[in-house]
Amino acid sequence: MTLSHSRKDFPEDFLFGVSTSAYQIEGHQFGGAGSTHWDTFAATPGNVVNAEDGAVACDHYHRWPEDLDLIRDGNFDVYRFSASWARVLPEGRGTPNADGLDYYDRLVDGMLERGVKPALTLYHWELPSALSDRGGWTHPDVAKWFADYATVLMDRIGDRIWSTATINEFWCVSWLSHFLGIHAPGLRDIRAGARAIHNVLKAHGMGIEAMRAAGHNNLGAVFNLEYTMPSENTDEAKRAAATYDAIFNRTFLGAAFHGTYPDEMLSGLEPHLPVGWQDDMATIRQPLDWCGINYYTRKIIRPVPGPFPAHEEIPGPLPKTDMGWEIFPDGLTHFLTHVAKTYSGDLPLYVTENGMAAPDVLDNGAVQDDARIAYLDAHLGAVREAIAQGAPVKGYFAWSLLDNYEWALGYDKRFGLVHVDFDSLDRTPKASYQDMARALVRT
Ligand code: FCB
């Protein structure tokens, strides 16, 4: 199996990259980082497969030169990485960790030395425990704390960053973590869920404001989107799916681009939002320079009896990845065209994450991950289709460079283009990496 698409099939200025995040690869025990809510969530029995955490992860903290070489040698143009708030500010606020700032400084210079553009994400989920103790994303001041963190980090590295995203995946930060209880801090509380939604959006807005005021540019945010379908052709099922689509997709896009929440969301969550939430919508709706979309799958939704949101996911019939996620590339074409039309207009769109987990095995020093090559190929085709339909898509990032810490699923789920042996920490490029390198050669 080889990729059928290559660089020449995309516009001249189209960028290819790989994505990772700090807690999933760095090794949080190194370099003076403070405790995060993922450390304590993982240490609480029952939350994470094998109670695994990110203490060592891929030890990228020490092995980053080798990893950046892999990005350069894979012919990628951009590296989408994130910074850990608790590495920069171990207590979430106050005195920065000099080693942490030095580390990100070296990392960014390492990218530039290799001709790779640095695409920074400020928050990819590891909230400092000191802030979690005070209520974390439910605390009214968290947006201000976030803007202050953005300012400290960008003062140090912002002069060399190519693009900056405030938040990775608003839905995961808020709903998955405070209502569904699946990610840290593991709450199952509708009021906490509603407040986390609003506060993470406000953090985005205040973060953008602070960075603009400091003269930084090419600022955006990253939305995870799931194509939503009703389980059957009834009004009840359609309503259930519309509610899912509202909470998952339209709440965050609507707030960030239009300054509004969808009616289906307000019908259940308005009573739980902070008093005066309407006054924040202008802050949330900031002019952006680009929009990032993380896309993996679709969901089929059916109604269930009971209180809001009164729906559940059911398994679909399509082939699935090791996450149990259906493979549905058409959904990516849909979102790229729909988001441009409805929300972001002419702004550059980037597919900031796309990829699949597979039970990859190292065999004679190689990994033949044909299923991943097929997945990437189908989604690159979906991107080309969106471009053909007029969507302003300017780049595609594969998730992920390395096998890494897949949150509540620990080290079980392998998403990397590069295999990581979690005992020796040896890296072995998989067939998908070799094939991407071949497809992305610049001629
Ligand atoms: C996304 C996350 C990323 C990774 C992939 C599989 O939701 O942004 O950290 O876990 O899913």
Side-chain angles (χ1 to χ4, degrees), residues 3-20:
L3 292 165
S4 66
H5 309 286
S6 66
R7 190 182 282 280
K8 68 171 177 7
D9 299 316
F10 289 82
E12 193 73 34
D13 60 350
F14 195 89
L15 298 171
F16 291 90
V18 278
S19 293
T20 65

Side-chain angles (χ1 to χ4, degrees), residues 24 183 323 325 399 404-411 413 415:
Q24 292 178 278
H183 278 186
M323 298 289 278
W325 295 346
W399 181 273
N404 60 45
Y405 180 66
E406 182 43 39
W407 308 112
L409 299 173
Y411 293 95
K413 302 295 174 199
F415 272 92

Side-chain angles (χ1 to χ4, degrees), residues 226-270:
E226 278 185 359
Y227 191 82
T228 311
M229 293 175 92
S231 56
E232 53 183 23
N233 194 16
T234 60
D235 287 348
E236 216 196 345
K238 285 185 200 157
R239 256 198 312 278
T243 304
Y244 186 92
D245 178 52
I247 298 175
F248 204 106
N249 302 316
R250 288 182 279 125
T251 288
F252 305 102
L253 288 165
F257 287 101
H258 297 155
T260 57
Y261 288 132
D263 292 343
E264 297 94 330
M265 176 273 203
L266 287 174
S267 74
L269 300 188
E270 215 271 325

Side-chain angles (χ1 to χ4, degrees), residues 342-371:
T342 313
Y343 299 102
S344 56
D346 296 336
L347 292 185
L349 288 174
Y350 295 96
V351 179
T352 31
E353 284 181 27
N354 177 242
M356 74 175 283
D360 301 315
V361 278
L362 198 53
D363 181 19
N364 265 329
V367 180
Q368 192 60 47
D369 56 340
D370 283 348

Side-chain angles (χ1 to χ4, degrees), residues 35 37 40 91 127-137 139 145 185:
S35 171
H37 68 180
T40 53
E91 295 297 313
L127 192 74
S129 297
L131 304 183
S132 204
D133 293 343
R134 299 167 64 107
W137 287 109
H139 193 287
W145 302 337

